[in-house]
Amino acid sequence: MEYHFIVNPKARSGMGEMIWRMIEPELKKRRVSYCCYMTKSRDHARKIAGEITADRQEYRIVVLGGDGTVNEVVNGIREPGKVTLGYIPIGSSNDFARGLRIPKEPEKALDIILAPQNIIHMDVGVLTAAGRQRRFAVSAGIGFDAAVCHEVCVSKWKILLNRIGLGKLSYAVVALDRLKKDRPVEMTVTFTDGTVRRFERAYFAAFMNLPYEGGGFKFCPKASPTDGELDVIIVHGLPVVKILCLLPLAFWGKHIGFKGVTIVKCKEIQVRTEKPLPLHTDGEPGFQRKEVKASLMIERLKVITG
């Protein structure tokens, strides 16, 4: 079967193109049948994936880029159940690779793509807001975590830290700054069974398909992409000082059990806030909204994992 490589040449400050030039000779050496598509702008990967899968036949698509490029491709695929997705991580956060144990070394990632030993049927999340839907592979969120993602996209820290191989720390740096600016809100949450809960002074709600987001924060350690449920974390009712203490613990998933950290599993969840808050899907910014719904697609996507 032919492989379709979708490459973001600008991923991690231009490393995407460099990595492609490194692995393409290996494809030729192994006589692999392939096509390559270079993205040229934001959302181009979604359009490419849509064009590849327009006939709804079976395809193997390989993404070279970051979580944002994966998100675009997942949103572009016409019939996820007929696509097998491979990934060579090049981005700053790489939470998709981290959650699926995909090697960060391009050569090793390519090896498991060309000779897969483990293919899972992965749940795909859907965030619905104002009548519009956006799929996500890693996570989606409303509030503080989304505000961090928004700022990271335009932050000078991301560029500077990428240059020294520490791009994922840009999320931590921006998070500390956002805590000074953001004010908690009242959040009303409706679960699958109709249960309604209100959270006073809520900072954010994150809908997790994988354990990590934001460059390695292990917000939901037990999140599984194959269990047919989302893990939802809601952080609420905490002083800023305590959040500052909990954030470092979240890198190891040690924030679980503290008062003000609520984690639940569900198939669908609706969140309303007293004022519009930022949204994100896999770190990609969305418009501010007061109401969102997170759920899972019926179809699953086949993904090559480590």
Side-chain angles (χ1 to χ4, degrees):
M1 182 180 290
E2 187 173 47
Y3 291 82
H4 295 261
F5 286 82
I6 300 177
V7 181
N8 179 356
K10 295 182 179 179
R12 213 165 89 190
S13 303
M15 284 200 65
E17 186 173 4
M18 185 187 307
I19 297 300
W20 171 249
R21 289 179 179 176
M22 182 178 73
I23 70 169
E24 186 177 27
E26 187 64 22
L27 295 174
K28 292 178 178 178
K29 178 182 176 182
R30 300 191 192 189
R31 298 182 179 179
V32 175
S33 178
Y34 70 93
C35 293
C36 176
Y37 312 81
M38 290 282 183
T39 65
K40 297 178 180 178
S41 60
R42 184 179 177 83
D43 206 40
H44 192 197
R46 180 188 63 82
K47 295 174 183 176
I48 293 170
E51 291 168 0
I52 293 170
T53 60
D55 61 2
R56 290 175 164 78
Q57 299 300 308
E58 292 193 358
Y59 287 97
R60 285 202 172 189
I61 296 176
V62 181
V63 178
L64 275 80
D67 291 336
T69 311
V70 172
N71 180 267
E72 289 186 15
V73 170
V74 168
N75 275 277
I77 293 171
R78 298 297 180 91
E79 197 166 332
K82 290 187 176 180
V83 172
T84 301
L85 187 73
Y87 182 48
I88 298 177
I90 305 174
S92 303
S93 59
N94 293 326
D95 290 310
F96 185 73
R98 187 178 288 108
L100 295 177
R101 298 181 180 179
I102 296 171
K104 63 180 180 180
E105 298 84 359
E107 300 92 339
K108 291 182 180 179
L110 180 63
D111 284 341
I112 69 168
I113 289 166
L114 299 181
Q117 299 297 313
N118 190 27
I119 298 178
I120 66 169
H121 289 76
M122 187 187 80
D123 295 323
V124 177
V126 179
L127 190 73
T128 304
R132 301 183 65 180
Q133 293 187 333
R134 183 81 182 181
R135 299 173 186 171
F136 60 92
V138 177
S139 68
I142 179 171
F144 168 75
D145 72 323
V148 171
C149 292
H150 283 224
E151 193 163 322
V152 165
C153 287
V154 297
S155 173
K156 64 180 181 180
W157 286 106
K158 184 175 182 180
I159 297 172
L160 293 173
L161 290 168
N162 269 340
R163 289 175 180 171
I164 57 175
L166 296 174
K168 69 177 184 178
L169 292 182
S170 57
Y171 291 86
V173 172
V174 171
L176 295 175
D177 182 58
R178 290 298 323 179
L179 280 174
K180 303 174 188 175
K181 303 174 181 177
D182 295 346
R183 295 291 177 267
V185 300
E186 181 180 293
M187 184 177 287
T188 303
V189 178
T190 305
F191 296 97
T192 312
D193 62 0
T195 302
V196 178
R197 289 184 63 181
R198 288 180 175 83
F199 296 89
E200 300 292 338
R201 301 185 66 248
Y203 285 87
F204 72 95
F207 320 113
M208 310 287 292
N209 194 37
L210 293 173
Y212 303 92
E213 77 163 24
F217 286 104
K218 200 174 186 180
F219 281 145
C220 290
K222 295 183 179 180
S224 166
T226 59
D227 65 357
E229 291 185 304
L230 291 168
D231 283 43
V232 181
I233 179 171
I234 302 166
V235 176
H236 56 95
L238 296 173
V240 171
V241 173
K242 189 167 183 179
I243 294 178
L244 287 172
C245 295
L246 287 177
L247 268 179
L249 295 179
F251 272 111
W252 295 276
K254 301 298 184 182
H255 59 300
I256 307 301
F258 281 89
K259 183 179 179 181
V261 178
T262 298
I263 295 180
V264 295
K265 278 185 173 289
C266 59
K267 294 183 181 297
E268 184 177 296
I269 187 169
Q270 183 173 309
V271 175
R272 292 182 182 178
T273 58
E274 61 181 315
K275 66 177 184 178
L277 295 178
L279 306 179
H280 85 88
T281 50
D282 295 334
E284 295 298 287
F287 292 109
Q288 292 194 356
R289 302 293 181 196
K290 292 176 64 175
E291 184 174 336
V292 297
K293 182 178 78 173
S295 57
L296 294 173
M297 292 183 65
I298 296 174
E299 269 192 291
R300 289 179 167 183
L301 178 67
K302 289 176 283 186
V303 180
I304 302 169
T305 69

